Amino acid sequence: MKPYLFSCIRRRSIEVLILLLLTAELWASSSIAHSFTLNLPGAQEPIKCFETEGGFLVFAQEKEQGRILAIELDTDLHLKKLVALDRVSFTKLNDVTQDILGGFVLAGYEIISKQSRIKIAILDEKLSVVFQHSVPVSGADQWAESLICEEKDLIIVGGHRTTGSNWYDALVMRIDHDGEILWSKRVGGSSDEWFSGVCKLNGKYLCFGSTESYGNGQADFWGCLFSENGNRYWCTTFGGQRWERAVGCARTQDSIVLVGSSNSFTPYNALFVVKVDPYGRTVWQKTIDLGNDFTTKGALTHEDIVLVYGELWQNDTRRDISYLLLDQNGILITQRTLREPNDQRVVEIVPLESKRMLILAASDNPHSSTDIQLYLIQQDIKN
């Protein structure tokens, strides 16, 4: 296959604004080192950010046309190159991960003949297309939410709906790098279940998401542990009487911390955190009330703390990016909120060296209700 040449987007006007923001009073003892905003016509959805030798690489997707974009930035968040990956086709791109060779694996779904099929694409380190494949499924819709890239294959989680059914099952499958299904497992009940993500735990795979069939409430946190051969060890639920959904996980030394949103214990969505041991038993669970609606988006472990991020509703600035630092017992150390006009949507936080991090988010463009900005912030972590 001939190497794919980088192409510039010439038919779209590009406005790049590099800002030095000094907002110490809003961020207490922390400060914003650099930020980057990219405005393009239409709606852009940031997907994933990676640290590279020369800076950062952001993957994004145009909402209307579905085109995948790769945005290269230097270490100071100056734009180096904007690449349209026209040979890669997704109806919806949901996750990107990096393989052991420095390439990238993309996962989501593609609609073929009115049927959703899991789509994967493999790129080398120069963003040339190595392989792309739609997983064939007869009589059902399937989609990929998240994946783990192993040395020889992929662990993919998402959802499955059989044609004619009104309910979704949670799906986990193992696929080799040629698109061959090694095994596939569906778990579900009388209502909707799906997996939002997967993390590795002692050589096994903890798939997490939401269940409406089991548990105590209308929807609960759901975690299922599978072996490398697809054998299910256990499934368990966490939550209250109303709605919970697990959307992120963070590894600790001996267990997993699952995070998501819950409105079972507060009159609005609050951060819900559960620590789970390798046998599915609850070590502790906590609700952290920030006084307003908080939409949890993910979590990671940074040194000896758990960092949870999401969006906090504030009447004056609407939805703002917010992150919290928790200790190993789920005790809140500190919470920071970036106040910006209009709605902000945080996608992920990438930890860097020297207690620094990079926040990838989308921001409503004040000139349009549909235009989305790519918004990157490099921020010192202070606890």
Side-chain angles (χ1 to χ4, degrees):
M1 181 178 294
K2 295 181 179 180
Y4 176 47
L5 299 178
F6 287 95
S7 61
C8 295
I9 301 177
R10 297 182 179 178
R11 59 182 177 274
R12 289 181 178 268
S13 60
I14 301 173
E15 179 185 357
V16 179
L17 179 61
I18 305 299
L19 298 175
L20 180 63
L21 301 180
L22 301 175
T23 56
E25 63 178 4
L26 297 179
W27 286 79
S29 61
S30 60
S31 63
I32 299 175
H34 300 281
S35 67
F36 169 83
T37 303
L38 176 64
N39 298 326
L40 291 173
Q44 323 297 322
E45 191 68 28
I47 307 296
K48 205 78 172 182
C49 179
F50 298 91
E51 187 176 13
T52 64
E53 290 185 1
F56 303 96
L57 177 65
V58 177
F59 287 90
Q61 184 175 28
E62 296 176 337
K63 282 189 175 181
E64 294 183 1
Q65 297 184 4
R67 185 166 53 174
I68 309 301
L69 305 177
I71 304 162
E72 294 186 48
L73 307 170
D74 66 17
T75 55
D76 292 325
L77 300 185
H78 298 135
L79 180 66
K80 294 171 60 178
K81 188 180 294 185
L82 181 61
V83 180
L85 303 178
D86 291 326
R87 295 183 61 186
V88 180
S89 174
F90 282 83
T91 302
K92 180 68 170 63
L93 176 63
N94 284 325
D95 197 13
V96 183
T97 190
Q98 199 160 19
D99 62 27
I100 60 174
L101 299 177
F104 301 94
V105 183
L106 288 65
Y109 67 86
E110 184 176 33
I111 296 179
I112 301 176
S113 300
K114 299 181 180 181
Q115 180 181 347
S116 297
R117 296 184 178 181
I118 290 175
K119 177 72 176 289
I120 60 172
I122 300 176
L123 313 179
D124 64 18
E125 68 278 5
K126 296 182 179 180
L127 303 183
S128 298
V129 179
V130 177
F131 175 81
Q132 59 179 321
H133 177 66
S134 291
V135 179
V137 179
S138 177
D141 289 315
Q142 290 188 340
W143 74 95
E145 288 279 350
S146 184
L147 79 158
I148 290 178
C149 184
E150 299 287 38
E151 183 177 356
K152 296 181 179 180
D153 44 43
L154 310 169
I155 303 296
I156 296 176
V157 299
H160 171 102
R161 184 185 68 86
T162 302
T163 302
S165 173
N166 294 323
W167 310 114
Y168 293 96
D169 288 338
L171 174 72
V172 55
M173 61 171 57
R174 193 171 198 133
I175 300 177
D176 66 21
H177 286 192
D178 294 323
E180 183 75 21
I181 299 176
L182 304 178
W183 53 259
S184 178
K185 303 290 181 178
R186 291 188 287 131
V187 286
S190 59
S191 191
D192 285 334
E193 280 77 41
W194 60 89
F195 289 138
S196 303
V198 56
C199 54
K200 205 163 183 179
L201 178 62
N202 300 332
K204 304 176 182 65
Y205 302 100
L206 178 60
C207 306
F208 56 89
S210 178
T211 175
E212 297 179 9
S213 300
Y214 311 106
N216 298 318
Q218 295 170 295
D220 280 354
F221 272 27
W222 200 29
C224 296
L225 187 70
F226 292 88
S227 73
E228 61 180 8
N229 296 318
N231 299 317
R232 187 173 68 181
Y233 290 101
W234 48 259
C235 282
T236 189
T237 63
F238 317 91
Q241 295 298 314
R242 298 182 68 189
W243 297 93
E244 284 85 28
R245 180 185 181 186
V247 298
C249 70
R251 282 294 310 271
T252 64
Q253 290 183 347
D254 57 350
S255 56
I256 290 287
V257 175
L258 297 177
V259 303
S261 298
S262 170
N263 62 5
S264 293
F265 311 102
T266 53
Y268 36 73
N269 283 323
L271 171 61
F272 188 58
V273 189
V274 181
K275 189 172 185 177
V276 185
D277 73 11
Y279 303 99
R281 297 175 300 204
T282 303
V283 179
W284 49 256
Q285 67 177 39
K286 298 179 183 293
T287 302
I288 298 178
D289 185 359
L290 298 179
N292 267 320
D293 189 274
F294 180 78
T295 302
T296 310
K297 301 301 286 289
L300 56 93
T301 304
H302 186 83
E303 297 182 353
D304 58 346
I305 62 173
V306 176
L307 189 153
V308 183
Y309 52 91
E311 299 134 21
L312 180 65
W313 172 263
Q314 301 185 114
N315 293 329
D316 52 345
T317 54
R318 299 173 61 87
R319 288 203 171 275
D320 287 332
I321 300 166
S322 188
Y323 70 85
L324 303 86
L325 304 181
L326 311 177
D327 68 14
Q328 295 293 314
N329 297 312
I331 304 300
L332 179 63
I333 299 172
T334 189
Q335 180 244 337
R336 309 272 188 247
T337 300
L338 174 62
R339 298 177 183 270
E340 291 289 322
N342 306 298
D343 284 332
Q344 316 294 315
R345 297 198 315 278
V346 59
V347 176
E348 68 165 338
I349 291 181
V350 181
L352 307 174
E353 293 182 353
S354 303
K355 291 189 175 182
R356 294 164 68 84
M357 67 184 185
L358 194 72
I359 302 176
L360 175 63
S363 174
D364 282 353
N365 190 312
H367 303 294
S368 170
S369 61
T370 58
D371 192 24
I372 303 296
Q373 296 177 343
L374 291 170
Y375 195 37
L376 286 167
I377 305 169
Q378 197 168 4
Q379 172 71 44
D380 288 339
I381 297 178
K382 305 290 185 182
N383 58 8

